[in-house]
Every structure is written in structure tokens, then in C-alpha cells.
Amino acid sequence: MGVSFYNFSDLHHQSFKEKILSRFKDIVDNGAFVEGHYNNEFEKEFAALQGVKHCLLVANGTDALEIALVVSGVKPGDKVGVPGITFYATAEAVLNIGAIPVLVDVDYVTGLMCPDSFKRVSEAHELKAVMPVHIYGLPADMKAINEIAAQKNIAIIEDAAQAQGAQVHTGPVGSCGNLTTFSFYPTKNLSAFGDAGCILTDNDELAEAIKVVRNHGRGDAEKFGRNSRCDHMQAAVLHLKLEEVDKFNKSRKEIAATYHSELKGLDLDLVDEKFLQTSAWHLYPIQLKDASTREALQAHLKSKDIGSTPFYDVALSQEIPMKNCEGEKEVSEKKAGATICLPMHPFLTRDDAKTVADEIRNFLN
Ligand SMILES: *Cc1c(COP(=O)(O)O)cnc(C)c1O
């Protein structure tokens, strides 16, 4: 019996399906297809859950990043710090608004932005903003990053696309005073039936500015915005899923703890156990000591019907659009070759996690 990487059928179980279909029926009957009452209810409840004043739904996680950059005052030609390990949408958002990504290096095991590298990069470049990413669901060191950014007046946009359920030093991710963005793409911890995203902020003016930009600039006679509204149906799904998301994140934590105890002692680098409670465990990454064995390990797992992915097998600096990018990238490039992510979703059992760990042990011995 194998272990799948994702599981959507248990996520959308029978009673969920019945509830969502009844919501869809109401929406169709009432003809309110964009920015309906579920948008308002979700925004209010999600802001409360994450410990901030405002949540603004937008069309997807990349738009959330672009709009956050724009309302932070980042202009074409400005430099923005991005970590060397991330899903490339983080850097794509910077390029899409005509700004210039500058690479900040990461911690070798977690892939999180390294505060020391950020400090050096912020001294060598005039950064207008920085985008720490809570990659794999692990919380970045926001205390250190906030302190460095404050000294140089650098705006912070936290990319929490993978981190619904993570804890930073002030509480839930998003609660430490920075603009924070989420994606609700179907694979994320909190997910829509397609594309959606949001931006969190405590700042009333920024919240108003985001509302204007996401709806074609309506409300500002001097500027156009864009269309990044969130469909009512997606908001209805997200709002309904709020009922179960904590339970599902708790179950991810239990699987991570099982992986940790089963894999401890093997010839691997594991994420430190201090993250067991604070990570959202969107993914469970391990670092191989010998990068050249990665393909063989994946093949071995596949032969046992166990899913795995090499997220992220390419550092941002190795992507073609980032070829001439400045900044620091040594650790990111070294790390990218040796990471593999194990199956992670809320419906894995402890036995599933043990099966995966057993096969990794068999492979390494
Ligand atoms: C998924 C993701 C995004 C992009 O979100 P979309 O909704 O696909 O636009 C951005 N950053 C990170 C780290 C992601 O994982």
C-alpha cells in the first residue's frame, strides 16, 4: 500500500460537499458572483484568526504579492530583497511590477531567509522592500528581519502562501505588523476550488489602497488599478474550510513529529525540532547529505508507491529570468540540489509516516 503526496478526496468529504453545493445553489439563485457576503465574512474571520485588523481577498497569491509591493510604494527600478529558495512567484511579482529582485541567501536546512545575509545585502544595496518567505510552512525569523529592516526603512512583505497555521514570535503568521500575503491555490493548507489569495495588514490606509487597486482603481480618480477581485464562490469555499483548517493543521504537525522521530539519527539533515510546533508543515523537507543520491531515492520511493517532490531543485538564481541577479546565492544553490519533500497532508496516518521513514532508512542503509 502506497503513500500519496496529496489527498483531495478526504479534504472534500461528503458533508463538506453537501454544504458547499448548497452555498453554490444560493449564489446561483441570488446572482452575486463577485465580492458577495462570503467575501466579507471570510475577510473578517480570517483577519481575526491571523491576529490582524484587515484581510483583503484578491484573485491569487501572485497578485497579492504584486499589490502588496505596489501599495508599499515600490516603483519600477526599485530593488527588492528575495530569498534564494522559494516558489518563483515571489520573484516573478517583483519583476512583473518592473522592480529588481536582489537575492538574499538562506539557511541551509530550512531554506528560510538568513538574517545575516539580509543584513549584508541591505548594506550593499539600497533595498526598498524585502520579501521573507515562510517556505514549506516554516516561520522565518521575523524578529531579526524586522529589526534589520527597521534600521534602513525597508518595507516588509511576508510571503505566507505556504504558511497558514504557522506561528511567528508575535503569534499567528501575519500578526507581526507587516503586509502578509497568502495564496489559496488548491494545494495550499487553506485552499479554494481554483485561484484566490489575500493580503493582511493592520494599517487602515494600506487596506483602503488595496481595496482600490484590486477593483480597477475605483475610488481613486487619479490612478487605474487592476482586476484582482475574488469570486464569491471561492470565498464561500474558503469560508467553509475555515471550520476545519485548525484540525487539519494539527494533523500535519503530528505527521511532522512522527517523521522527525522516525528519521532522527539517519544520515540526513532534518529541520530542527524547535519548528515542530511553530511550522504549518505545508511540506516536510529533508536534506540529503549526498545530493547525487536524490534521484535514486525518489525512484526507490516511487517503486514503493510513495510520492515525493524535489522542492526546490533549482534555486531562484538558477532560473533564466534571474540570471543576472545581484545579491548572495551560495547556500541557496547548494541547498537546492539536496532537498526532497515527503508526503504531507492532513489524512496521513502515523503508520503512513512510518512506512515512508522505513523506506528512507532502507535506502540509506
Ligand atoms: C503558491 C505560492 C505563490 C503563488 O501563489 P498563486 O496563488 O499560485 O499565484 C507565491 N509564493 C509562494 C511561496 C507560493 O508557494
Side-chain angles (χ1 to χ4, degrees), residues 59-63 65 86-90 92 133-135 159-162 181-185 187-188 195-197 282 312:
N60 58 67
T62 310
D63 277 11
L65 291 166
T86 181
F87 177 59
Y88 48 67
T90 317
E92 187 186 22
V133 179
H134 303 295
I135 197 78
D159 183 345
Q162 302 186 2
T181 68
F182 287 83
S183 162
F184 301 124
Y185 183 76
T187 58
K188 313 288 182 179
D195 285 308
H282 173 62
Y312 290 89

Side-chain angles (χ1 to χ4, degrees), residues 6-14 17 347:
Y6 295 119
N7 173 334
F8 295 112
S9 51
D10 288 332
L11 184 61
H12 304 138
H13 51 80
Q14 191 57 30
K17 265 192 268 190
F347 312 101

Side-chain angles (χ1 to χ4, degrees), residues 193-318:
F193 278 2
D195 285 308
C198 80
I199 309 171
L200 303 182
T201 180
D202 274 327
N203 183 307
D204 299 344
E205 276 168 38
L206 288 179
E208 279 314 306
I210 294 163
K211 280 186 200 167
V212 170
V213 174
R214 75 177 171 186
N215 192 17
H216 297 296
R218 284 190 179 167
D220 182 342
E222 288 173 26
K223 279 195 248 113
F224 290 149
R226 59 195 291 160
N227 173 9
S228 190
R229 293 175 303 230
C230 176
D231 294 344
H232 197 192
M233 289 199 181
Q234 301 301 350
V237 173
L238 291 167
H239 180 259
L240 186 57
K241 284 192 180 178
L242 279 181
E243 290 177 5
E244 290 186 302
V245 75
D246 280 346
K247 179 177 81 188
F248 291 159
N249 282 333
K250 197 159 160 270
S251 142
R252 288 174 183 270
K253 277 187 188 148
E254 282 166 14
I255 295 306
T258 306
Y259 277 143
H260 189 85
S261 65
E262 292 291 317
L263 296 170
K264 217 166 38 181
L266 296 185
D267 199 22
L268 293 168
D269 286 315
L270 299 180
V271 169
D272 192 280
E273 61 188 24
K274 76 174 185 203
F275 286 103
L276 284 177
Q277 287 309 315
T278 60
S279 177
W281 296 112
H282 173 62
L283 292 164
Y284 188 89
I286 58 175
Q287 283 297 107
L288 301 177
K289 295 280 191 197
D290 177 359
S292 71
T293 62
R294 180 165 63 184
E295 275 182 31
L297 172 56
Q298 279 206 273
H300 174 75
L301 293 175
K302 191 162 179 232
S303 76
K304 306 289 172 187
D305 213 9
I306 295 171
S308 68
T309 59
F311 287 152
Y312 290 89
D313 52 351
V314 173
L316 211 44
S317 50
Q318 295 161 321

Side-chain angles (χ1 to χ4, degrees), residues 91-139:
E92 187 186 22
V94 178
L95 291 169
N96 285 350
I97 66 153
I100 303 166
V102 179
L103 293 161
V104 179
D105 221 341
V106 301
D107 174 80
Y108 180 71
V109 179
T110 61
L112 293 168
M113 179 175 281
C114 166
D116 292 336
S117 175
F118 173 42
K119 189 158 200 305
R120 287 190 299 272
V121 171
S122 74
E123 277 156 8
H125 298 269
E126 198 185 320
L127 299 180
K128 182 85 187 179
V130 65
M131 303 168 88
V133 179
H134 303 295
I135 197 78
Y136 307 122
L138 298 163

